[in-house]
Amino acid sequence: MKRLGIFFFFEKQGYVDDFIVYYLNDLVKNLSELVVVCNGKLSEQGRKAFERFTDNIIVRENKGLDVWAYKTALDQYGWQRLSEFDEVVMTNSTLMGPVRPLQEMFDAMAEKPELDFWGLTIHHGAEGNPFKGKHIYDYLPVHIQSHFIVYRKKFIQSVDLQKYWDEMPMITGYTDSVQRYESVFTKMFADKGYEWDVYVNTDDLKTFTDYPLLVCPARLLRDKKCPLFKRRSFMHDYEAYLNDTAGEPVRELYAYLRDHTSYPLELIWSNMIRTMHPFDFTRNLGLTRLIMPTAQDASCAEKVRKSRRIALAMHLYFMDMLPQSMDFARNMPPETDVYISTDSEEKKRQIEQAFSGLPLNSVTVLVVENRGRDVAAFLCDLAPHLKGYDYACFMHDKKAIQTKPGSVGASFGYVCNENICKNADHVLNILCEFEKDPRLGILCPPFPTHGLYFMNMCSNGWGPNFDNTKQLLKTLGLNVPISGEKAPLAPFGSVFWFRPAALAPLFDHGWKHDDFPPEPLPQDGTISHAIERVYPFVAQGAGYYPAEVMSTEFAVSRCDAMQAYASGLIRPLARVFNCTTFGSAAQSAIAFSHKRHFGMFRFYGPYSNSRRRRTRNWLRDRLPNNVYWGMMHAKRAVFGPHGAPYEE
């Protein structure tokens, strides 16, 4: 059979990941020719990757999405030349796999010669049309999904298909693409009498889900012999999964790939870490570490203690908290080297005397400049000593004296220490997590949500620190996904475990104490607060991923707290919004938040694009500090929020 393949590719840096090479390696076995259409940039590495399969590589302007990429290839060949092929396959880089030879699918569909066109999978449609704009139909029709669709010779030669593509208008966005192409193509041509089908028959799942490949991918791979799965599975909004499931689809998919296929999982990991926000894939894959209070793998722990270099870095300022700091260090393995910074010779003597009796490999105390607090001490003075260590922990004697009542600040310290260093076995279990997962770069406690720290949930932990963190990434030369809409998996409170290699781009920056503002230090929005949030992105830029860590005891408390927050908000919201599902409630709340507000602020909207936020930041950068804060306090006194840290 003479078969042409059209492969659509888009990646903002033009980098071709190995999962694409793996896919094409199998696909080209079933093709006579391949043409690759790249929207936007194609790197030299990317071109070399595609040249392994074809010389016909089209790099075009990033306009028209996948629709105009396919149209460009069709136009290049022309209908007369296209008619020489028995089949034309159109597919793209949103698919991963195969987990079984694609020849099985092509052979099976060849037994259905009556078909005019066919595809891999189907979307079962919806009663209403969820996409805004002009619709051909007032519902979402059943349709072949555009990630893999095949035209047969008689269909290619039809006037109807040729006219459809010749008259295709420019596609202006995703919604336009869905409305003009993916969701309507199948029905339009079925209504004209053309025959179609899909390889993966999911008729038995019509009442189960409208999108089987995303909602139950493991079931399709296992029971339906589906050879491919969606890259989007790993980056899909977890909230969207919760509309239809309890959040298990991606974990089931990964477990099936790991246990029942030979698909190289490293292909998934390398793409996730390079291109996806950890907030998405760590939740979808359930990568939060729950640490037991008793040792779980004695042999692994013994291996770590014997063959890995372990360090503890500490910045100690409050001598009244020295006993708590000693308890923290006492939980480290006896092979640990400890590096401590403080701000005076007197404190150094107290620390050396206190730590002299602890079972540790070595203790080094440094007197450092008292500027920049724990963050400056860590980067300027302690980090240079950590090079060459396999695993390290950083802590400081956190005393949130500015937070009232004092119990709120004390509980912040509890959140940090409970999850990072509950006891000696907890520490060994964390070290084993790093030992067993070479991609794990940093483990952080979850950000606190109690008391006034509830505002962390309102701003996804960013507060006024999104712009300065983004700028810091540019300064460090790191290009990784960052979004004000997604929480950084960062060590709020600056207590965390890490691989020194994962933070090398930050350590090698050449920090000086003069890079940090002098006292009195602002409560938020400084370079120190940006650094606190940049750690996970630095690790990602170095090829690792960040994750949260919780003791099992704290995880129970966290779960109960989240349920308390949810029920406390949902009950009153139910009187206002449609709360039959999480999705409907969220959409109603989002719609409300976008309504017109008052005066110059106009709209409430997403954090990263909020006009209120941008207006405030514009004023903050241009007005004298006392004038700006006077204006903000006046606005707050009248309109709120009252009694909480201010979200920039």
Side-chain angles (χ1 to χ4, degrees):
M1 179 176 286
K2 189 176 182 181
R3 189 180 285 129
L4 169 68
I6 301 174
F7 185 80
F8 163 61
F9 169 78
F10 169 76
E11 204 278 331
K12 64 180 181 179
Q13 301 301 323
Y15 185 89
V16 176
D17 283 278
D18 288 341
F19 83 86
I20 294 175
V21 175
Y22 190 89
Y23 179 25
L24 291 178
N25 264 328
D26 193 280
L27 179 64
V28 295
K29 296 175 183 177
N30 303 279
L31 303 177
S32 306
E33 293 182 32
L34 174 69
V35 54
V36 173
V37 186
C38 171
N39 280 7
K41 184 186 298 185
L42 182 62
S43 67
E44 185 62 28
Q45 173 273 343
R47 182 171 291 276
K48 289 180 180 178
F50 285 135
E51 285 177 347
R52 295 169 56 180
F53 307 104
T54 181
D55 294 327
N56 192 358
I57 301 171
I58 303 171
V59 181
R60 60 182 298 274
E61 185 179 5
N62 186 21
K63 291 177 62 177
L65 282 76
D66 57 336
V67 183
W68 268 73
Y70 293 136
K71 176 175 168 56
T72 299
L74 296 173
D75 289 345
Q76 183 198 69
Y77 273 80
W79 294 112
Q80 182 174 348
R81 188 178 171 196
L82 289 169
S83 297
E84 298 173 3
F85 291 96
D86 298 298
E87 288 186 338
V88 173
V89 181
M90 296 192 292
T91 185
N92 59 51
S93 54
T94 66
L95 290 172
M96 285 182 156
V99 299
R100 56 197 315 126
L102 292 174
Q103 184 178 347
E104 293 181 9
M105 173 177 64
F106 284 108
D107 289 348
M109 299 311 289
E111 297 177 2
K112 299 181 178 183
E114 72 281 2
L115 299 180
D116 295 292
F117 61 100
W118 60 274
L120 172 70
T121 54
I122 197 173
H123 188 288
H124 289 292
E127 292 183 2
N129 199 318
F131 297 97
K132 296 180 180 179
K134 297 179 180 179
H135 304 298
I136 297 176
Y137 310 104
D138 60 3
Y139 61 97
L140 195 65
V142 174
H143 59 274
I144 295 175
Q145 294 180 286
S146 63
H147 46 233
F148 196 102
I149 188 168
V150 181
Y151 299 163
R152 293 266 173 83
K153 181 189 288 271
K154 56 183 177 180
F155 190 46
I156 297 168
Q157 295 173 339
S158 69
V159 174
D160 292 325
L161 181 68
Q162 294 178 12
K163 182 179 179 181
Y164 172 83
W165 279 109
D166 290 343
E167 297 179 358
M168 175 67 69
M170 176 55 66
I171 300 299
T172 59
Y174 174 72
T175 297
D176 198 28
S177 173
V178 172
Q179 292 173 353
R180 294 183 182 275
Y181 176 55
E182 180 170 16
S183 69
V184 300
F185 182 90
T186 305
K187 178 171 172 54
M188 287 174 60
F189 285 95
D191 288 347
K192 294 177 183 292
Y194 294 95
E195 296 290 327
W196 67 274
D197 201 355
V198 290
Y199 174 64
V200 182
N201 188 315
T202 55
D203 288 346
D204 57 324
L205 299 176
K206 286 180 181 179
T207 59
F208 186 76
T209 175
D210 55 10
Y211 197 162
L213 191 57
L214 195 64
V215 173
C216 49
R219 189 167 175 177
L220 267 58
L221 268 60
R222 181 186 63 243
D223 302 336
K224 308 285 186 180
K225 296 184 178 180
C226 184
L228 302 166
F229 53 98
K230 292 289 285 185
R231 172 179 173 269
R232 182 170 184 80
S233 292
F234 304 98
M235 57 186 288
H236 195 52
D237 286 341
Y238 191 66
E239 290 82 356
Y241 276 125
L242 294 179
N243 291 333
D244 303 295
T245 72
E248 75 278 10
V250 187
R251 299 169 204 185
E252 291 181 346
L253 169 63
Y254 187 85
Y256 181 80
L257 292 170
R258 180 192 63 215
D259 299 337
H260 300 286
T261 77
S262 60
Y263 187 77
L265 298 179
E266 181 58 36
L267 303 183
I268 300 173
W269 280 104
S270 60
N271 180 255
M272 284 195 305
I273 293 174
R274 191 182 70 82
T275 67
M276 300 181 193
H277 199 296
F279 182 76
D280 293 323
F281 69 77
T282 58
R283 291 197 301 171
N284 289 339
L285 284 169
L287 298 178
T288 295
R289 296 322 203 267
L290 299 186
I291 305 299
M292 298 290 289
T294 56
Q296 298 297 295
D297 191 333
S299 62
C300 179
E302 186 68 16
K303 175 185 175 183
V304 170
R305 292 179 58 179
K306 285 184 176 180
S307 62
R308 303 300 183 216
R309 298 190 66 199
I310 306 164
L312 169 62
M314 311 177 79
H315 179 67
L316 304 184
Y317 181 84
F318 301 104
M319 290 301 97
D320 61 320
M321 297 186 69
L322 192 54
Q324 294 96 307
S325 300
M326 292 172 58
D327 288 340
F328 192 100
R330 191 177 285 110
N331 289 330
M332 296 293 137
E335 296 81 9
T336 303
D337 293 324
V338 181
Y339 298 92
I340 302 172
S341 60
T342 191
D343 68 323
S344 74
E345 290 291 343
E346 175 58 30
K347 291 180 182 178
K348 175 182 177 181
R349 285 191 290 271
Q350 293 182 53
I351 294 168
E352 287 177 335
Q353 181 178 0
F355 274 69
S356 63
L358 296 184
L360 298 164
N361 188 55
S362 68
V363 177
T364 303
V365 184
L366 311 170
V367 177
V368 305
E369 183 179 346
N370 187 22
R371 178 163 174 164
R373 300 183 184 178
D374 58 287
V375 177
F378 178 49
L379 294 181
C380 301
D381 306 296
L382 297 173
H385 295 275
L386 303 180
K387 294 181 179 179
Y389 283 90
D390 297 292
Y391 312 125
C393 178
F394 177 61
M395 73 83 65
H396 67 107
D397 46 3
K398 184 171 181 58
K399 183 186 284 189
I401 55 179
Q402 75 278 8
T403 305
K404 305 298 181 183
S407 62
V408 174
S411 289
F412 190 174
Y414 162 76
V415 171
C416 295
N417 297 338
E418 165 74 12
N419 294 302
I420 294 301
C421 190
K422 181 180 179 68
N423 59 34
D425 281 352
H426 180 103
V427 168
L428 287 175
N429 289 337
I430 284 182
L431 289 168
C432 288
E433 291 293 334
F434 281 98
E435 184 69 17
K436 294 175 181 178
D437 189 347
R439 309 175 194 90
L440 180 61
I442 180 172
L443 278 177
C444 311
F447 59 65
T449 60
H450 64 282
L452 294 181
Y453 296 120
F454 181 77
M455 286 296 290
N456 282 326
M457 299 181 69
C458 301
S459 69
N460 272 330
W462 283 111
N465 296 290
F466 178 73
D467 290 333
N468 57 1
T469 305
K470 191 173 182 180
Q471 180 57 50
L472 179 55
L473 281 173
K474 290 182 180 179
T475 301
L476 296 172
L478 297 175
N479 183 16
V480 294
I482 181 172
S483 170
E485 295 298 305
K486 297 177 181 179
L489 301 183
F492 299 89
S494 294
V495 181
F496 60 105
W497 282 95
F498 61 97
R499 294 178 194 269
L503 297 186
L506 184 66
F507 290 170
D508 295 341
H509 180 61
W511 294 96
K512 298 179 177 60
H513 283 270
D514 289 344
D515 295 327
F516 299 84
E519 298 291 344
L521 200 64
Q523 186 174 344
D524 209 348
T526 70
I527 183 65
S528 295
H529 297 95
I531 291 169
E532 192 175 55
R533 288 158 176 79
V534 87
Y535 291 125
F537 300 106
V538 172
Q540 188 174 7
Y544 301 88
Y545 76 90
E548 289 186 341
V549 60
M550 289 184 266
S551 71
T552 52
E553 184 177 343
F554 180 84
V556 173
S557 298
R558 186 74 162 189
C559 180
D560 291 341
M562 290 301 109
Q563 291 190 34
Y565 295 150
S567 62
L569 291 174
I570 288 173
R571 284 198 300 271
L573 286 177
R575 302 187 182 101
V576 180
F577 301 136
N578 177 7
C579 290
T580 55
T581 66
F582 171 80
S584 60
Q587 287 299 318
S588 297
I590 290 170
F592 176 79
S593 73
H594 281 74
K595 290 186 181 296
R596 288 183 181 276
H597 186 39
F598 56 87
M600 66 186 296
F601 301 114
R602 305 288 299 205
F603 291 92
Y604 283 108
Y607 174 80
S608 61
N609 298 314
S610 168
R611 292 188 183 182
R612 290 184 303 132
R613 183 182 71 87
R614 293 187 179 280
T615 300
R616 284 202 299 268
N617 288 355
W618 187 89
L619 291 171
R620 181 194 63 195
D621 295 340
R622 288 161 177 79
L623 294 177
N625 195 54
N626 60 333
V627 175
Y628 169 76
W629 282 111
M631 181 185 300
M632 291 300 101
H633 290 320
K635 179 265 173 188
R636 190 173 179 182
V638 177
F639 298 106
H642 305 285
Y646 204 79
E647 175 199 346
E648 284 292 301

